[in-house]
Amino acid sequence: MRNPKFLILLALLISLGDCSHFYGGSITWKATNPNAISNIDVLIQWRFFWRSSTSASHRCDDTKILNGNLIGDNGAINCVTGCTPTTFGIDSKVICSDYSLSNDWSGGQRSTLVTFLNPIFAEGIFSGNAWLTLNTGGGSWELRFKMNLTKRDDTLK
């Protein structure tokens, strides 16, 4: 972990399935005003990768990178635990930034700022049923992240 303020918790739940266009990703978060006792601003950043040949909405190219086009599924990163009174449903598409024609993948990243009124524990997920085909398993998946926005005893931040 590069910075103790970052917490990356990635859980991939794999089951049988025959869809195969999500290649994986990561979700990170960081409190941007760590001294705040209320109205805590949290930067949530995500990076996802897709099979390029699935559809034009999953494919990057030089023009899409230049124009900053979004790629990915019509999904959302949702707050599922500790969300009251702040909740979120963030569009999961990413800004196209990387691709490989020979390996049939495209990816990108995106971020947004969410303000939590109180210091809380919160949990978010991005899930679906299109994990890449594997010899065993594949299909359903979930990326999950947990945020502890309470003040630390050691740093008081």
Side-chain angles (χ1 to χ4, degrees):
M1 206 177 302
R2 293 179 295 176
N3 185 328
K5 295 177 189 167
F6 278 106
L7 172 66
I8 303 171
L9 179 59
L10 176 65
L12 297 175
L13 304 177
I14 300 174
S15 66
L16 293 176
D18 55 10
C19 296
S20 63
H21 62 276
F22 184 67
Y23 277 9
S26 64
I27 303 171
T28 61
W29 67 273
K30 178 183 181 182
T32 61
N33 56 345
N35 294 319
I37 56 173
S38 63
N39 295 320
I40 302 164
D41 295 324
V42 175
L43 181 68
I44 299 174
Q45 183 172 351
W46 59 101
R47 186 161 179 77
F48 299 147
F49 294 89
W50 307 93
R51 181 187 303 254
S52 298
S53 60
T54 301
S55 71
S57 66
H58 296 90
R59 183 174 26 258
C60 280
D61 58 35
D62 292 338
T63 302
K64 287 183 178 181
I65 292 173
L66 183 64
N67 293 331
N69 290 68
L70 298 177
I71 63 164
D73 280 346
N74 291 320
I77 301 167
N78 294 302
C79 190
V80 294
T81 303
C83 309
T84 305
T86 302
T87 190
F88 54 83
I90 305 165
D91 177 8
S92 65
K93 289 187 177 182
V94 294
I95 299 170
C96 178
S97 62
D98 307 283
Y99 70 96
S100 171
L101 294 174
S102 60
N103 292 309
D104 193 23
W105 61 262
S106 293
Q109 68 181 21
R110 205 161 148 205
S111 63
T112 193
L113 197 64
V114 176
T115 301
F116 289 86
L117 300 179
N118 301 306
I120 57 160
F121 294 93
E123 191 169 333
I125 64 166
F126 176 52
S127 62
N129 59 1
W131 185 254
L132 61 102
T133 302
L134 305 170
N135 288 335
T136 304
S140 297
W141 52 269
E142 178 178 278
L143 295 168
R144 181 176 295 261
F145 62 104
K146 296 184 180 196
M147 299 177 284
N148 179 349
L149 301 178
T150 60
K151 193 172 280 202
R152 288 176 45 164
D153 291 335
D154 60 341
T155 65
L156 301 178
K157 294 182 180 181

